Amino acid sequence: MKKLTRIGGVTAIVAALALTACGGGGKTSGPESGKGQGAGGDLAKLISVNAKDAKDLQPGGTVTLPLGTLGPDFNTFSTNGNTGDNAALHGPINQAGCWSYDFDGTATPDKNFCEDVKSEVKDGKQTITIKVNDKATYNDGTPIDVKTFENTWQMLRGDNKDIDIVTSGAYAFVDSVKAGANDKEVIVTTTQPVYPLESLFGGFVHPKVNTPEIFNNGFTNNMHPEWMAGPFKLDQYDSAAKTVTLVPNEKWWGTKPVLDKVVFRQLEISAAIAAFKNSEIDAVSANSVTPYKQLEGTPNSEVRRGQRLFAGGLSLNAQKAPLTDVAIRKAIFTAVDREALRKVRFNGLNWDEVLPGSMMLMPFSKYYQDNYPVKETGPEAAKKVLTDAGYQPNAAGIMEKDGVPAKFSVSNFGDDPTILAFTQTLQKQLQAAGMDVGIDQRALADFGKTMGSRDYFLSVSGYGVGPDATDTVKQFYDSTNENKLGDPELDAEIKRLSSIADNAERNKAAMEVEKKHMAKYFSLGPLTNGPQISFVRTGLANFGPSLFKSASQVPDWTTIGWEKK
């Protein structure tokens, strides 16, 4: 869970404008000019954390940060808990997993848990040997050993359809998990080679979370801190005040944290802006012009700017009529003027980027390719898509087929005016193509629940982006995905690519699957990536845009803290 765009190998869903991706002075000209990087670009330009050694920081202190959503499902592995906010909340308190990530996405074993990970492939079968840290233990005293690894596999492998996982990922290829010389040596065998190795055991499922009922429902309004392990522990969860308070974990065997308290507060965007200006919280995102202008000039603050690891815009629920018809979904992709939407989204931010063409990789990735499936766009082209599928305009001018109109809504979350303007522009583009489209306005706090229960038609949202597309291609494009859109041919390609050892070849294969799936099913449509612009309290160290090291902007929870005065 170190790389918080992912939850144990799963890509987390994120609202269009998230709080957690969370000097000012008298500057009034808007943000300094920024630009997304392409392949071979300088990634250092996309990182801004005020890096300091822990020894140079003031011991103790409190940091208070906002979250857009807080629960109700605190299981980061479940469909309802699969949100960036939930992953961010777990960052300081549940780090149990085998892998840490550098800013550029390079994965290495997290020695607090997995001291060594070795892989051997022989006769087409793979054996992975993991040396678990002898000190690694959950807060309830349960040792992190072979039983943890076995239970993680059993709960996430996908065989039991009653377990509400997001995707089985590489766990579907695991054949056995057994003890080696002792319970702290774990021997994993696979039915086919699995690459990259970090596809497995990025997060652990506690051995007591071993039934569908506990997995699906046991974390509702209950964080279960006893089943966690990290440098901080839960001190108080106040559901009425919508706050979570954390303190250092005396049972943590790793590096002790600098801070003596971390507080998370659930806030709508407008409330977070007010809270920062009133010195109630210590950082807030300003990824659109409205919050930026409202926060500009806030005393005792500075701006840190980088790249948001986000791909999103169109998330279509293909299980809800009329979006069950692929012609409607293709018409949506065709009607969209992405350049016009980009201008609305980034107006006033001095941000420039290429139009993204992948949900799985950022344009600066050397593996990236533009997979957007429609070249000829606009209202007339979209109407032709519908006409060719048998739709005709009714008396009101709405395209319909067999008496069923192309009628649905776009769900917009939160109270940011720029995101609403983006949604309204999208609405008008779809209406111009003969579709009857309304706006379903919801609170940001309802985002996780809405997306987990799939209570929407079209959502303006997206997913965090990782450095490798291998896991993501299965989550998004295998026929077991949340839309149940796919086919045996693509499933076979996805299964095969997971066994390709060469990173470039494997990611190229993943990109080709995305290209084919987008062109056939039209379920996820990238519109923007965007900047990460954070207003941060002056003196806060080791916090800010961190690329793959942390989507919640905390590269290391043991070193975040305040500069000495």
Side-chain angles (χ1 to χ4, degrees):
M1 296 200 189
K2 308 305 181 298
K3 180 170 64 63
L4 293 175
T5 51
R6 303 175 70 74
I7 302 173
V10 175
T11 301
I13 194 165
V14 184
L17 190 65
L19 291 175
T20 51
C22 257
K27 186 177 176 184
T28 58
S29 58
E32 64 185 31
S33 179
K35 184 177 183 179
Q37 298 291 307
D42 184 1
L43 297 190
K45 294 179 178 179
L46 307 178
I47 301 166
S48 179
V49 299
N50 186 27
K52 303 290 182 184
D53 288 338
K55 61 181 176 58
D56 296 326
L57 301 179
Q58 183 69 38
T62 299
V63 166
T64 303
L65 300 171
L67 290 174
T69 60
L70 195 60
D73 186 349
F74 289 103
N75 182 3
T76 55
F77 290 99
S78 74
T79 299
N80 288 337
N82 178 41
T83 69
D85 281 327
N86 208 13
L89 172 65
H90 280 71
I93 53 178
N94 194 19
Q95 297 188 356
C98 267
W99 304 101
S100 292
Y101 292 81
D102 205 342
F103 291 102
D104 66 357
T106 302
T108 54
D110 181 348
K111 296 187 181 299
N112 287 316
F113 297 94
C114 300
E115 294 181 340
D116 188 45
V117 181
K118 293 180 178 178
S119 171
E120 180 184 21
V121 177
K122 187 175 182 179
D123 298 327
K125 300 292 181 70
Q126 184 179 32
T127 300
I128 303 169
T129 303
I130 303 169
K131 174 65 175 72
V132 184
N133 190 321
D134 287 337
K135 298 178 181 179
T137 306
Y138 287 106
N139 291 337
D140 67 354
T142 301
I144 296 175
D145 59 16
V146 67
K147 297 181 183 66
T148 293
F149 286 76
E150 183 178 18
N151 188 62
T152 300
W153 166 51
Q154 294 291 357
M155 297 304 291
L156 302 182
R157 63 190 296 187
D159 286 2
N160 188 341
K161 303 305 180 185
D162 291 334
I163 303 174
D164 189 22
I165 60 172
V166 179
T167 176
S168 59
Y171 292 101
F173 307 132
V174 172
D175 186 49
S176 67
V177 177
K178 298 179 180 178
N182 52 58
D183 283 354
K184 288 284 188 175
E185 183 181 68
V186 180
I187 310 297
V188 180
T189 60
T190 66
T191 57
Q192 68 172 55
V194 171
Y195 299 100
L197 282 180
E198 58 266 27
S199 295
L200 292 171
F201 304 110
F204 300 149
V205 181
H206 192 288
K208 292 181 180 177
V209 185
N210 55 14
T211 68
E213 175 62 24
I214 297 173
F215 187 94
N216 298 343
N217 304 313
F219 291 84
T220 302
N221 295 314
N222 189 340
M223 294 181 66
H224 283 293
E226 72 276 14
W227 295 340
M228 299 179 179
F232 288 86
K233 67 177 183 179
L234 179 67
D235 182 53
Q236 184 179 25
Y237 165 43
D238 189 332
S239 59
K242 300 179 180 178
T243 61
V244 170
T245 304
L246 313 176
V247 295
N249 185 1
E250 72 283 356
K251 297 180 179 179
W252 176 243
W253 58 94
T255 303
K256 303 303 180 183
V258 171
L259 294 171
D260 54 26
K261 185 181 291 187
V262 174
V263 180
F264 286 105
R265 291 179 57 187
Q266 180 182 309
L267 296 166
E268 287 287 332
I269 293 166
S270 58
I273 293 168
F276 185 81
K277 294 178 76 171
N278 292 332
S279 298
E280 298 171 17
I281 60 176
D282 297 309
V284 64
S285 291
N287 294 337
S288 69
V289 69
T290 300
Y292 189 93
K293 291 298 184 183
Q294 292 176 334
L295 289 162
E296 196 172 30
T298 301
N300 190 31
S301 72
E302 62 186 47
V303 178
R304 298 178 190 171
R305 183 175 183 131
Q307 172 75 64
R308 187 182 182 199
L309 296 181
F310 171 80
L314 300 176
S315 180
L316 283 63
N317 186 352
Q319 294 183 302
K320 196 164 184 175
L323 271 63
T324 49
D325 186 350
V326 67
I328 297 281
R329 303 197 302 272
K330 183 177 181 179
I332 292 171
F333 274 65
T334 306
V336 167
D337 182 342
R338 295 192 294 158
E339 183 62 33
L341 288 169
R342 187 188 72 83
K343 289 179 179 177
V344 172
R345 177 66 183 83
F346 302 131
N347 178 43
L349 288 184
N350 292 334
W351 176 259
D352 187 32
E353 67 179 25
V354 299
L355 286 174
S358 174
M359 293 295 297
M360 302 193 300
L361 292 173
M362 298 294 294
F364 60 70
S365 170
K366 58 186 175 182
Y367 311 130
Y368 169 85
Q369 69 183 35
D370 185 349
N371 290 326
Y372 197 79
V374 179
K375 304 307 176 187
E376 183 181 353
T377 61
E380 296 308 315
K383 285 181 181 178
K384 186 177 186 303
V385 170
L386 293 173
T387 301
D388 290 348
Y391 286 80
Q392 293 294 329
N394 61 20
I398 303 302
M399 302 295 283
E400 68 174 35
K401 180 180 180 180
D402 300 328
V404 179
K407 181 179 181 179
F408 54 91
S409 61
V410 181
S411 293
N412 184 73
F413 297 92
D415 56 6
D416 183 84
T418 299
I419 300 302
L420 177 57
F422 180 96
T423 303
Q424 290 170 334
T425 303
L426 173 61
Q427 176 193 29
K428 289 182 174 64
Q429 292 177 357
L430 300 178
Q431 288 173 337
M435 290 175 265
D436 185 357
V437 181
I439 293 179
D440 170 32
Q441 180 62 42
R442 305 198 183 195
L444 186 58
D446 293 334
F447 176 72
K449 180 180 178 181
T450 299
M451 302 306 291
S453 63
R454 300 190 60 72
D455 181 26
Y456 66 96
F457 292 94
L458 169 58
S459 167
V460 177
S461 60
Y463 289 85
V465 180
D468 188 287
T470 309
D471 288 341
T472 312
V473 73
K474 182 172 184 179
Q475 180 180 340
F476 290 173
Y477 303 122
D478 187 89
S479 60
T480 60
N481 64 66
E482 60 185 14
N483 269 315
K484 311 303 179 190
L485 295 175
D487 53 62
E489 180 183 347
L490 287 176
D491 289 353
E493 289 188 36
I494 292 169
K495 182 178 180 180
R496 183 190 69 82
L497 70 84
S498 297
S499 66
I500 301 172
D502 182 78
N503 289 336
E505 182 183 350
R506 187 180 63 253
N507 278 275
K508 173 64 175 176
M511 285 282 103
E512 288 300 311
V513 168
E514 179 177 61
K515 183 177 181 179
K516 293 175 183 177
H517 196 284
M518 276 194 186
K520 187 173 183 179
Y521 295 108
F522 302 93
S523 58
L524 295 170
L527 301 180
T528 62
N529 296 132
Q532 177 56 51
I533 304 173
S534 300
F535 278 76
V536 182
R537 198 68 58 204
T538 301
L540 182 59
N542 301 316
F543 179 93
S546 308
L547 287 183
F548 298 108
K549 198 164 182 68
S550 170
S552 64
Q553 302 191 77
V554 183
D556 182 348
W557 278 101
T558 66
T559 61
I560 182 176
W562 298 98
E563 295 179 25
K564 292 179 180 178
K565 295 181 179 179

